[in-house]
Amino acid sequence: MDAAKEEFLKEFGRDYGYSGGPKTIDEIRATEFKRLGGMTYLDHAATTLYSELQMEAIFKDLTANIYGNPHSQSDSSFATSDIVRNARQQVLDYFNASPKDYKCIFTSGATAALKLVGEAFPWSHQSSFVYTIENHNSVLGIREYALEQGAQAYAIDIEDAEHDAFTGNLVSVQATKHQILRRNEVKFLDKDHTGSAYNLFAFPSECNFSGSKFSLELVKIVKEDSIRYSNGSPSFNGRWKVLIDAAKGCVTDPPDLSKFPADFVVISFYKLFGYPTGLGALIVHTDAAKLLKRTYFSGGTVAASIADIDYVKRREGIEELFEDGTIPFLSIASLCHGFKVLNSLTIPAISRHTSSLATYLRNILVALRHANGTSVCTLYGSCSSKTLCNKMGPVVSFNLRQPDGSWVGHREVEKLASLCGIQLRTGCFCNPGACAKHLGLSHSDLSRNIEAGHICWDDYDIINGKPTGAVRVSLGYMSTYEDVKKFIDFVATSFVSTRTNARHGLQFCGRSIHFTDIGFESKYSAPGFDLKSITVYPIKSCAGFSMDRWPLGSRGLLHDREWLLQSLTGETLTQKKVPEMSLVRTYIDLSQGILYLYSPRCKERLQITLNSNPCNDKREEISLNGQIYQVQGYDKRVDTWFSAAIGRPCTLLRHISSSHFVSLCERDDVGTCRESRNCLNFPNEAQFLLISEESVSDLNNRLNSNVGKDIRRTSLQVDPMRFRPNLVISGGRPYAEDEWRNIKIGNKYFRSLGGCNRCQMINFVIDAEEVRKTNEPLATLATYRRVKGKILFGVLLRYECEAEEGKTGDVWLQLEKV
């Protein structure tokens, strides 16, 4: 055992590892999660992992028993009804809820349960929907139902809490009210309302962004109308109902409904024990259930109906009234096996185990320092009795900083973690209020981000110098010290600047790759360099072919990426999602005017005549990389061939014409931007990609050096063609191309647009006509070619065709001295 683990166990050994349980954590991982292998899974807030023994028990159950539709009256149906009844009780027991006071309604997930409450709640124009700013989008969506019925909605920030001096019980809460939202108010003002309106207050038991846990005493405070607003706003009349989003919090701290009688609690079972997905529950108080109104009725929710007159008699049972159609009874049958796992370990033990790991991780991250003494990590979320968030769940959210104080993009962290076999999540985690609050983003910041094109799940991780999201590490009952230690080592190695790596120029500030700025008019040849290959890729993401000479045009090499494959839903297909595209080989015979296509999955080769119009006379427009292209398709024969070649339905489209130019920005000192105006077919960024054999050789030396450090790894050599270059050169020193602003090949002039940002495509290996994904060479490139969140290798070029103006005849590029 290493010293670091000994230190960890010295501090957390009493809570870590289930030492008093049926199995230790090491035994659990060895026997129930063998499939993890070397992977480190740290995304349990999104979904935890199912146990292999759990799945074996489910499979044995389903193969040994016959479960019929519970709406039938057969013996197998009665068996299903018994299973469902027992499952409802298990759910209620988990929340210490009496079956007299609460009912368990099965839904397709926590989101569906929230939607059910929103659409069935008795809203009026006198109602209020109030929610803490830290809430999931699925909770925020309830306000659409409230606003449509004339109710008001607003978010609050809890600022302070007052406790009884003698008992310590919570007495009142001080809060700040955000903007009050109203819609359709006038439409409902003339309606008479008898009695008081009903209001709904929603909060999460644990914030899925920060891990902060809300005190469940808030249930009582709301029901007693004991929230005081700092701006002097009055409380609102009406009776309050309280909704707890326990989807995240119930994993380690399920609300005790005997002590904190909320009206509605929502959960998803895959967050508890990994399987089944697509199943959740609404735990509803019987009094609150009586207030919910349904419009739609379905099979299973009615006692009787008549088809040709307006008559329906609904069932009286709460569960039956709200469970539309046949419930997913086989998934429900699997719940007992998941609860068996949790009960064997006990929830308090799981809570202590995961908390020990999360606390250790927070302590280490907050202590990390760069060589210049600046902090590496900014953590989000804290414990404070004043704000009712007096505990932290097993979630650690943070952002990293460079030595100069600038932010590291969260997507950069996620991509590099993935290369190291670490699975985590980044972004706002569908919690926009918590995200904006913790990141300090104002409404104007959010508006500017949206105007800049930022949406959920994109790569815009830093805009105007501010992060748009965070990195989240979340832990589960099967997480280990080794998982956390691997992540800590990853952060330290990849993002912490030390005196040693600063002296050797490793790029924690994004300045280690130097790009010179030779004037635009200074076009030059690079002595001692040879152009070794010219490669054309007719179809985007499919294989190319190499020639000694090839025509040039205003869009680059003739016919280069002039075609693409599109899914039946309109999605442009690339190797990132369809690696099998690399198996489609291409060749163009200019003398015959034919594009030849080959695939190991197709018996016949395909021929497409270049100068004939596609069979589909109808032109259409498609959008790609923010630009509009006019394209035409082909007949069914062509599409059928490609569908078989890549193993999914698709269509082939050809770029016919376009009047657009890609606007590119001015070059900066690290060569990651683009410039001028560029005419393209279907490449992502530029007309040409140039790769140096010497740079590839240096990369291979580094790959072999890494192999020498790990006896489990085999020797690895990559070929220049792994990077899908159009041009391969030889000569000079490695990475000399980084410094070029302009280059002359023969009598042809090209302008460098900077480095090429590499992605997972370069990790695909074709092995025996199968595509296999590895971590290399991208993982090694990330250790020394990282600039401002990008991993650069090779340079992008634009053909300076205006230099050829006035010349007659075709313009050809050929293998020669550079």
Side-chain angles (χ1 to χ4, degrees):
M1 183 184 299
D2 62 28
K5 186 168 185 179
E6 286 183 354
E7 200 64 29
F8 166 80
L9 292 176
K10 185 177 179 180
E11 183 174 0
F12 298 103
R14 293 183 63 183
D15 295 326
Y16 173 80
Y18 312 110
S19 57
K23 289 183 181 179
T24 66
I25 183 60
D26 293 333
E27 291 171 334
I28 290 171
R29 283 293 287 265
T31 60
E32 301 186 36
F33 296 91
K34 298 186 289 293
R35 66 189 187 281
L36 278 172
M39 179 186 293
T40 299
Y41 185 84
L42 298 173
D43 194 18
H44 295 272
T47 179
T48 196
L49 302 177
Y50 52 78
S51 156
E52 287 151 23
L53 295 184
Q54 172 191 349
M55 297 307 293
E56 289 175 10
I58 292 171
F59 182 72
K60 182 178 180 180
D61 183 356
L62 296 182
T63 54
N65 296 289
I66 298 175
Y67 296 119
N69 190 315
H71 292 167
S72 299
Q73 301 296 307
S74 64
D75 290 343
S76 61
S77 300
F78 292 145
T80 301
S81 296
D82 289 339
I83 287 289
V84 172
R85 188 181 306 108
N86 292 336
R88 294 192 204 275
Q89 187 59 52
Q90 278 190 299
V91 174
L92 294 179
D93 289 344
Y94 189 73
F95 293 94
N96 199 17
S98 166
K100 293 182 179 179
D101 298 325
Y102 285 91
K103 302 300 178 185
C104 171
I105 300 170
F106 287 118
T107 65
S108 64
T111 295
L114 291 165
K115 182 182 178 184
L116 191 158
V117 173
E119 67 185 4
F121 195 81
W123 304 109
S124 73
H125 80 274
Q126 296 175 326
S127 298
S128 297
F129 173 50
V130 184
Y131 49 93
T132 56
I133 195 71
E134 302 97 333
N135 258 304
H136 195 279
N137 270 326
S138 297
V139 174
L140 303 188
I142 292 176
R143 75 182 181 207
E144 293 299 302
Y145 291 108
L147 293 174
E148 280 300 308
Q149 295 300 316
Q152 66 175 3
Y154 57 89
I156 66 168
D157 264 318
I158 297 176
E159 296 178 333
D160 201 356
E162 181 184 349
H163 293 80
D164 186 279
F166 296 101
T167 66
N169 294 333
L170 192 64
V171 176
S172 67
V173 166
Q174 187 89 2
T176 298
K177 184 185 299 183
H178 289 252
Q179 177 184 353
I180 295 178
L181 307 176
R182 277 283 194 184
R183 188 190 304 164
N184 297 336
E185 182 179 13
V186 175
K187 176 181 175 183
F188 295 96
L189 286 180
D190 59 346
K191 291 191 176 183
D192 292 327
H193 290 273
T194 57
S196 299
Y198 286 98
N199 308 310
L200 181 64
F201 184 92
F203 72 97
S205 59
E206 180 184 326
C207 175
N208 75 314
F209 183 95
S210 66
S212 299
K213 291 186 177 183
F214 284 79
S215 170
L216 298 178
E217 289 186 81
L218 196 53
V219 173
K220 182 188 71 170
I221 292 297
V222 171
K223 286 180 173 289
E224 293 178 353
D225 203 11
S226 297
I227 296 180
R228 303 291 176 256
Y229 294 103
S230 55
N231 56 4
S233 299
S235 299
F236 289 91
N237 294 327
R239 286 168 285 185
W240 286 95
K241 298 299 176 183
V242 179
L243 182 154
I244 299 177
D245 177 6
K248 174 63 186 76
C250 73
V251 177
T252 56
D253 193 7
D256 185 339
L257 295 180
S258 69
K259 295 180 180 179
F260 309 104
D263 299 284
F264 309 101
V265 178
V266 301
I267 60 170
S268 285
F269 293 106
Y270 69 91
K271 294 187 183 282
L272 280 171
F273 30 71
Y275 183 89
T277 57
L279 182 64
L282 170 65
I283 296 93
V284 56
H285 196 282
T286 52
D287 291 340
K290 295 173 184 176
L291 301 176
L292 302 181
K293 306 298 181 184
R294 296 298 309 275
T295 300
Y296 177 77
F297 68 87
S298 66
T301 66
V302 296
S305 65
I306 299 177
D308 56 347
I309 64 173
D310 184 10
Y311 177 82
V312 59
K313 180 178 175 58
R314 299 177 187 267
R315 290 189 178 272
E316 296 180 358
I318 292 174
E319 301 96 335
E320 296 171 324
L321 182 60
F322 291 100
E323 291 174 347
D324 292 323
T326 299
I327 56 177
F329 54 89
L330 294 182
S331 292
I332 293 171
S334 70
L335 294 181
C336 63
H337 303 288
F339 279 117
K340 183 178 180 180
V341 172
L342 300 186
N343 292 336
S344 68
L345 297 173
T346 76
I347 297 303
I350 292 173
S351 181
R352 292 193 301 270
H353 171 79
T354 54
S355 179
S356 69
L357 292 171
T359 302
Y360 175 70
L361 177 57
R362 290 190 195 98
N363 293 345
I364 296 294
L365 290 178
V366 80
L368 289 176
R369 294 291 184 271
H370 289 294
N372 63 2
T374 59
S375 178
V376 174
C377 184
T378 297
L379 290 174
Y380 303 119
S382 62
C383 300
S384 172
S385 59
K386 288 185 177 182
T387 60
L388 289 186
C389 299
N390 49 17
K391 292 182 184 178
M392 295 296 293
V395 167
V396 183
S397 291
F398 59 92
N399 271 310
L400 301 175
R401 288 184 183 269
Q402 306 276 16
D404 62 1
S406 62
W407 296 101
V408 176
H410 57 80
R411 286 287 289 138
E412 176 183 356
V413 179
E414 184 176 25
K415 290 175 181 177
L416 294 179
S418 181
L419 289 173
C420 295
I422 299 172
Q423 312 298 308
L424 45 78
R425 186 167 175 180
T426 66
C428 279
F429 325 122
C430 297
N431 196 325
C435 186
K437 176 179 178 178
H438 289 291
L439 301 182
L441 299 175
S442 65
H443 286 165
S444 58
D445 290 330
L446 298 173
S447 296
R448 282 193 294 267
N449 291 350
I450 294 171
E451 290 171 1
H454 173 53
I455 59 173
C456 298
W457 305 337
D458 66 16
D459 285 342
Y460 289 95
D461 50 11
I462 298 176
I463 299 178
N464 297 323
K466 293 184 178 182
T468 62
V471 181
R472 185 182 72 185
V473 168
S474 51
L475 302 154
Y477 76 81
M478 74 298 295
S479 296
T480 64
Y481 165 82
E482 285 72 23
D483 292 333
V484 172
K485 184 63 166 59
K486 181 177 178 179
F487 179 74
I488 292 170
D489 292 343
F490 158 72
V491 172
T493 302
S494 303
F495 299 101
V496 179
S497 174
T498 65
R499 289 182 176 85
T500 301
N501 59 39
R503 185 166 59 249
H504 289 286
L506 297 185
Q507 60 291 346
F508 297 100
C509 296
R511 289 195 291 267
S512 67
I513 302 176
H514 180 65
F515 291 82
T516 60
D517 194 13
I518 300 173
F520 180 78
E521 300 300 328
S522 175
K523 293 179 175 157
Y524 63 94
S525 297
F529 290 84
D530 293 310
L531 179 61
K532 300 298 293 288
S533 73
I534 302 168
T535 304
V536 182
Y537 303 89
I539 303 175
K540 182 178 178 66
S541 267
C542 292
F545 63 96
S546 298
M547 301 292 290
D548 291 341
R549 59 195 304 268
W550 195 258
L552 285 171
S554 62
R555 296 176 186 161
L557 294 170
L558 183 64
H559 301 308
D560 186 54
R561 287 161 287 193
E562 193 169 305
W563 291 263
L564 61 73
L565 294 176
Q566 190 179 76
S567 72
L568 299 187
T569 60
E571 177 187 13
T572 298
L573 301 180
T574 67
Q575 281 189 36
K576 292 179 184 178
K577 294 186 177 180
V578 191
E580 293 79 8
M581 292 179 69
S582 62
L583 299 175
V584 177
R585 294 181 291 119
T586 61
Y587 175 72
I588 291 178
D589 188 325
L590 290 177
S591 63
Q592 298 184 46
I594 296 176
L595 167 62
Y596 293 97
L597 299 134
Y598 311 83
S599 168
R601 297 181 175 183
C602 301
K603 294 181 179 179
E604 304 291 334
R605 72 176 183 180
L606 182 66
Q607 299 182 28
I608 296 177
T609 304
L610 299 178
N611 58 9
S612 65
N613 290 327
C615 296
N616 182 1
D617 293 332
K618 182 182 178 182
R619 294 190 178 191
E620 60 177 298
E621 289 186 344
I622 65 169
S623 175
L624 180 65
N625 300 324
Q627 305 299 331
I628 302 300
Y629 294 83
Q630 279 194 332
V631 297
Q632 275 190 311
Y634 286 82
D635 60 19
K636 185 177 180 180
R637 175 186 64 91
V638 172
D639 292 342
T640 299
W641 190 92
F642 276 101
S643 298
I646 68 170
R648 66 176 64 190
C650 64
T651 60
L652 180 68
L653 299 177
R654 184 179 186 180
H655 181 199
I656 301 301
S657 66
S658 64
S659 58
H660 78 273
F661 289 81
V662 179
S663 295
L664 304 169
C665 68
E666 287 300 320
R667 181 188 182 96
D668 68 7
D669 64 334
V670 295
T672 58
C673 283
R674 311 292 175 252
E675 60 177 14
S676 188
R677 293 169 68 82
N678 203 354
C679 188
L680 304 174
N681 274 327
F682 292 132
N684 288 343
E685 297 182 281
Q687 296 171 338
F688 299 88
L689 170 62
L690 180 145
I691 292 291
S692 159
E693 286 186 342
E694 277 62 38
S695 300
V696 174
S697 177
D698 178 78
L699 170 60
N700 281 323
N701 290 337
R702 294 171 186 267
L703 289 169
N704 289 328
S705 174
N706 292 339
V707 169
K709 297 175 183 177
D710 187 347
I711 60 175
R712 294 169 297 180
R713 295 179 56 175
T714 57
S715 179
L716 175 65
Q717 291 282 311
V718 296
D719 183 87
M721 301 314 294
R722 175 80 76 89
F723 302 94
R724 295 178 60 81
N726 296 106
L727 309 175
V728 177
I729 60 168
S730 66
R733 57 184 173 80
Y735 313 109
E737 64 274 13
D738 292 346
E739 302 174 2
W740 296 346
R741 182 64 180 257
N742 309 284
I743 180 173
K744 180 181 177 183
I745 303 177
N747 61 353
K748 313 298 183 302
Y749 296 98
F750 298 84
R751 179 72 176 265
S752 173
L753 303 178
C756 179
N757 184 26
R758 309 314 312 208
C759 68
Q760 295 276 5
M761 279 179 60
I762 65 174
N763 287 343
F764 293 137
V765 178
I766 299 177
D767 184 8
E769 297 185 344
E770 294 291 333
V771 182
R772 180 169 47 88
K773 184 179 179 181
T774 67
N775 284 337
E776 295 291 0
L778 194 60
T780 295
L781 286 173
T783 64
Y784 75 105
R785 295 288 298 176
R786 212 165 81 235
V787 177
K788 291 186 176 180
K790 302 179 186 293
I791 302 172
L792 304 182
F793 193 77
V795 293
L796 301 170
L797 303 178
R798 184 187 72 234
Y799 174 44
E800 299 292 274
C801 54
E802 66 270 16
E804 310 296 330
E805 290 180 2
K807 295 184 179 182
T808 59
D810 294 334
V811 179
W812 290 68
L813 185 67
Q814 61 186 21
L815 303 184
E816 55 186 308
K817 290 284 184 181
V818 175

